[in-house]
Amino acid sequence: VMKAFGKVDIVVNNAGTSNTTAFESLTDEMMQHDLDLKLFGAIRLTRLAWPQMKQRRWGRVVNVLNIGAKAPRGGSAPTTISRAAGLALTKVLAGEGAPHNILVNAMLVGLIESDQHVQRAMRTGVAYDDYIANAGKNIPVGRMGKPEEFARLACLLVSDANGFVAGTAINVDGGASPVR
């Protein structure tokens, strides 16, 4: 991937795990913890890098969210609420950054093969290949995504090859989200 796009320094905020609950069970503490971890983590990290990007007149920010940011469903609080706020943050930063050649976008992740799925397969006693095949069967492309597929898009967004994409939220989900 790096050969195609040159040297790219990347900072990613994809903090935390997705603990979800029904709204009636959602406490202020749970919501605040999720906002601190996911939304304020992105705010603080971006705030640290913003002045240097503005001074250089070049910068790229990619907020990693999940498809629930566009299409939240019942029982998905607090994570989809925090991720939807991250989507709003992306749009605000894109508008403020674009005049300074700071391009801000979001990648909304669906099911991507990762260590968390390895752990889940082990906990359930299912062979990893069977777990992955089963988890991917309801995705329109028929499988889970691969980490390198996600990484290629991230590299494109943060490279010089991207000079015009700003303020967008790209689903990386194999067509799983009902909202494009």
Side-chain angles (χ1 to χ4, degrees):
V1 173
M2 297 313 291
K3 289 179 184 177
F5 300 107
K7 183 179 183 296
V8 179
D9 294 325
I10 301 174
V11 177
V12 175
N13 177 44
N14 187 21
T17 58
S18 297
N19 295 319
T20 58
T21 188
F23 179 77
E24 285 183 292
S25 302
L26 182 64
T27 65
D28 288 356
E29 293 77 19
M30 292 166 66
M31 190 69 237
Q32 189 63 57
H33 173 74
D34 210 70
L35 286 168
D36 286 341
L37 186 64
K38 295 174 183 154
L39 179 63
F40 284 97
I43 289 170
R44 292 176 183 123
L45 183 60
T46 304
R47 189 183 297 138
L48 286 171
W50 198 264
Q52 293 84 4
M53 290 188 291
K54 195 171 176 182
Q55 181 182 4
R56 283 193 315 262
R57 294 203 44 78
W58 194 98
R60 303 293 187 263
V61 175
V62 176
N63 283 322
V64 177
L65 307 171
N66 66 33
I67 59 175
K70 285 185 187 176
R73 64 188 190 296
S76 66
T79 193
T80 56
I81 297 168
S82 298
R83 300 302 189 177
L87 189 53
L89 174 66
T90 299
K91 296 299 277 185
V92 167
L93 291 173
E96 292 183 18
H100 305 284
N101 194 32
I102 303 170
L103 305 183
V104 183
N105 293 287
M107 292 175 59
L108 280 59
V109 66
L111 286 175
I112 302 289
E113 293 180 29
S114 67
D115 189 58
Q116 74 181 12
H117 296 294
V118 171
Q119 299 303 318
R120 286 182 189 159
M122 286 175 32
R123 278 196 306 271
T124 59
V126 176
Y128 182 66
D129 289 342
D130 293 338
Y131 176 90
I132 294 299
N134 188 52
K137 70 181 180 186
N138 293 323
I139 298 172
V141 299
R143 64 176 177 83
M144 289 179 69
K146 299 191 178 305
E148 56 271 19
E149 293 170 316
F150 190 85
R152 285 184 193 113
L153 179 58
C155 286
L156 172 65
L157 289 174
V158 301
S159 73
D160 282 327
N162 173 31
F164 200 65
V165 178
T168 193
I170 302 171
N171 295 349
V172 186
D173 68 347
S177 175
V179 179
R180 304 290 172 234

